[in-house]
Every structure is written in structure tokens, then in C-alpha cells.
Amino acid sequence: MTTAPRPLTLSDGRPAQAGWTLDPGLRHLNHGSFGAVPGVAQDRQSALRAEMERAPVVWFPTLPARLAAARAEIADWLRTDPKDLALVPNASAGASTVYAALADRPGGDIVVTDHGYGAVTMGADRLARRWGGRVRTARVPLAADADQAYDAVLAEVDDRVALIVLDQITSATARLMPVERVAAEAARRGITLLVDGAHAPGLLAAPLAGLDCDAWVGNLHKWGCAPRGSAVLVARGPLRDDLHPLIDSWGATAPFPDRFDHQGTLDATGALAAPTALRFVEDTWGWDTARRAMDELAEYGARVVADAFARTGTPSEPVDVGMPVPGMRLVRLPGGLGASRISADALRDRAPAELGVEAAFTSFEGLGYLRLSAHVYNTPEDYEHFAETCVPVVARWAGEMSG
């Protein structure tokens, strides 16, 4: 029998959920997509917005200095150098910034994997067309270990390859990739490497440690629990001087990363409130404790949900990926459910209305998965409820498809 982990509480003994403003009418089992923002960070953002609206002519000239201070705190949390870190709206915007900065490579090819995030891969495809090259997709089996994943990526690399785009943690399949080893080989061959670390901040203690890549992007609004529109672009080496924000503003002539603090009249209060969210988790539980709790809870959730599917006569199982990531687990969906991205997204949209949950449904190689992701506000009862109440309905959906 699977033993339920003990849920976390706030410092004053109240349930951890009391620190958040999530809809109590839904079960929130998909922190990994957009995150959830603690109440204190929402309050901080609201206060900053009110200040901005009271005197915008005062606000915007002072904004770069405020953003520089936030950047320094975020860089310290990520254990990286502040001079290497710029603020961007999201990881995809960071990737687009890198694509725009790369020098023309006529006939140059780009290597991605079949686990890559769709929007980032679409940007790579557009860049390859601009170069007159092509995108090569490395096929990495879900169960591939670090050696097998590394070999699969490098099998697509030859003298025509000018760029490798590699997820640090894959979105649809919730697994790690051997980014450090690929980075070392890319550097040896003189190939630019962009690491998509969208899920890494908060889920990994030091996602940039030992990683020598040209550019790395990560979202603070996922596991870091910052307001949406909060992400970072970290760049080292020669590429850094060629990186410019997608919006030219009065800071265009400033050095990297200062020029990213000038973005016209964009609402930057999310980034300014990000340190409040990061401190909330650290001060309440400590990030190491929070990560352990997330991982234990995700593992428990995957087991009880898979067992519930088995009881319906539509066997499923937790998926053992080759390089597991903390805090997220996959459960195979029965029948043909979620076999494509479009059908998986349809399940995601259907779940709140019919199941009363926010959940992630993903697809990979023609198979559908329930991707469970846990954060500190989740409890074992969230997953037990899904197992007892929602799994029979999902099994019925699978039966309707096969019938």
C-alpha cells in the first residue's frame, strides 16, 4: 500500500493552501504549466501596479533601476552572476531573442529533439528557413538514460549544424536531458547551444551549475511561483553582446543585460514581484524542503492514480522515464486518449468543467499521458480525489472512444 506523504503547513500551522488564492472549486494538479502565485506576491504586484498608475511619468524613468535590483536578487537565487542575466516575459521570448541575435549561417542546420516545446521548435524552424537550412529532430526514447539521450542528440550533429536547442526539463514528457554533456561537446565543436530551462527554476536547486552553454532561458512563473510574465535569459560568452530585447527602447545602447530593463511601457510589475514569491517559499519552508515535498507528492499521486485506472479495468501505469525530474510524473492514459497534442489539449480544456480539476494532458509518439505536477499547496487528498472521482470518468471517455 502506498503511504501518503504529510502535507506542508504554513509557519503559523495553517494549511499551505491558505497562502494562495486558487479557486477552491477546482483541484489544481497542473502547477507545471503556468504556476500559481502566492497571495503575498499578488499583493506586492497589486501595490506596484497602483504606484505605476498613480504617477506613470514618475514610474517609468525609475523602472530600470528597480528591475536591476530585482535581477540581482533573482540571479542570487539561481546562483548565477547578475551580469549574465536579463529579464524577459517568458522562456519562449528568451528563445526568440536568441534566434534574432544569431548571425546568418547560410545552409546551417538546427538540431532539436522530439521532446522539444512546440513554440520554441517553431521558432527554430523559422530560423532554419531564414538560413536556408533545415531542422533535424533527434529521436530520444522516453526511457532513454543519459548516455542514450546524449548519443541520440549527437547522432544528428555534423559540420552543417550551427545550433542545438535542447530542453533541460522536457514539458510534455517530464524528463531531464543531459544538457551539461551536450554543452561540453557543442563547445568543443564550436556549435551554439540554447538550453530551454523553462521548468528548471525552483524545480532544480542550481540549474546553471556546471552548465556552460551560450544561452539559457527559464520561467520564474512556473515552479518559482512568480507572477506571469516573469522569466530570465542567461547568456555567457560572445553571444551575450549581440542579444537585444525584442522591443527597442531608450536603453538600446546600454550593455547587456541593462538594455533589457528598458522595454517601453510594458507592465514589469510581475518581474518586480518575483523576488517576493521566491522569498515566500524560502522563508516559509525552505526551497530544499519544498522540493522534497513536491517530489514525494508527485510520486504518491502517480501511484494512486495508476492504481485507480487498474481498478476500472483500463490498466495504466506510472511511466519510468530514463532521467526523471523531481516534482513531475507521467501516468499513461488508457485507450487512445490524448494521442495527439490537439486531443490532449482538448482533454485539458474538458477537465475543469467535467472533472473539476486543472490537469495537464500531454502526448508523445502517439500515446497520451496525464502529467502530474505538485507544489507546496497540493495535498495527498488532491490525488486521492482524482483517483476516486475522476479516473472512472476518464476511463469512460476511453471506452467511448474505443466503442
Side-chain angles (χ1 to χ4, degrees):
M1 183 177 178
T2 304
T3 303
R6 179 176 298 179
L8 294 178
T9 60
L10 296 173
S11 302
D12 58 9
R14 290 180 299 158
Q17 301 95 308
W20 311 74
T21 60
L22 292 163
D23 184 347
L26 292 171
R27 302 276 178 172
H28 300 276
L29 307 183
N30 183 21
H31 184 91
S33 283
F34 302 107
V37 185
V40 291
Q42 293 183 47
D43 291 344
R44 175 61 177 160
Q45 184 180 25
S46 295
L48 289 166
R49 276 185 173 148
E51 183 181 350
M52 175 177 66
E53 297 302 339
R54 280 197 302 270
V57 177
V58 174
W59 170 268
F60 283 102
T62 66
L63 185 56
R66 292 171 182 254
L67 288 170
R71 274 197 290 110
E73 190 166 349
I74 292 164
D76 182 66
W77 179 71
L78 284 170
R79 306 180 194 179
T80 195
D81 194 324
K83 75 176 187 299
D84 296 334
L85 184 147
L87 293 170
V88 291
N90 51 52
S92 297
S96 296
T97 300
V98 173
Y99 295 153
L102 291 173
D104 195 29
R105 289 289 302 269
D109 288 348
I110 301 172
V111 171
V112 301
T113 78
D114 53 349
H115 298 254
Y117 187 67
V120 173
T121 299
M122 290 174 192
D125 185 67
R126 180 164 55 88
L127 177 61
R129 292 196 303 272
R130 191 180 90 200
W131 284 350
R134 64 188 179 93
V135 170
R136 305 181 184 188
T137 302
R139 307 292 174 183
V140 181
L142 190 56
D145 62 19
D147 290 338
Q148 293 166 330
Y150 174 83
D151 290 342
V153 173
L154 268 293
E156 294 294 332
V157 177
D158 61 21
D159 291 343
R160 290 181 58 86
V161 171
L163 172 66
I164 300 172
V165 182
L166 186 62
D167 294 70
Q168 188 167 28
I169 296 172
T170 63
S171 178
T173 51
R175 59 158 290 149
L176 292 162
M177 288 290 185
V179 291
E180 294 84 3
R181 291 179 59 187
V182 172
E185 182 61 17
R188 189 185 73 80
R189 299 190 187 203
I191 298 172
T192 301
L193 173 64
L194 166 62
V195 173
D196 182 355
H199 283 272
L203 205 55
L204 303 180
L208 289 150
L211 177 57
D212 185 16
C213 61
D214 298 277
W216 178 94
V217 294
N219 285 325
L220 302 176
H221 66 246
K222 290 182 182 287
W223 304 92
C225 303
R228 257 67 66 183
S230 308
V232 299
L233 165 61
V234 175
R236 299 158 175 162
L239 178 62
R240 178 173 55 190
D241 293 334
D242 294 324
L243 293 169
H244 290 264
L246 298 177
I247 298 173
D248 286 322
S249 193
W250 288 103
T253 58
F256 180 93
D258 296 356
R259 54 181 170 251
F260 282 77
D261 297 338
H262 299 257
Q263 294 281 309
T265 54
L266 286 184
D267 183 350
T269 56
L272 294 178
T276 300
L278 305 179
R279 287 195 301 268
F280 169 73
V281 175
E282 178 59 41
D283 294 345
T284 308
W285 302 284
W287 275 98
D288 289 341
T289 297
R291 276 187 285 269
R292 284 194 299 271
M294 295 175 206
D295 197 44
E296 292 172 0
L297 195 52
E299 177 66 21
Y300 174 76
R303 294 292 171 189
V304 297
V305 169
D307 289 347
F309 275 120
R311 290 194 298 272
T312 67
T314 54
S316 182
E317 59 185 11
V319 179
D320 292 324
V321 300
M323 297 179 68
V325 62
M328 289 199 288
R329 295 292 187 279
L330 293 182
V331 176
R332 171 80 181 276
L333 290 172
L337 287 178
S340 69
R341 182 188 66 82
I342 292 174
S343 59
D345 286 351
L347 293 174
R348 174 205 63 196
D349 297 341
R350 189 177 181 181
E354 298 186 39
L355 302 179
V357 300
E358 289 189 324
F361 296 89
T362 68
S363 65
F364 182 70
E365 293 189 330
L367 298 175
Y369 298 92
L370 172 67
R371 191 196 72 189
L372 297 174
S373 54
H375 215 285
V376 293
Y377 54 80
N378 287 122
T379 67
E381 201 271 334
D382 288 332
Y383 301 94
E384 293 161 0
H385 170 86
F386 188 92
E388 295 166 9
T389 304
C390 303
V391 164
V393 179
V394 176
R396 188 176 72 243
W397 293 348
E400 291 169 355
M401 283 191 61
S402 62

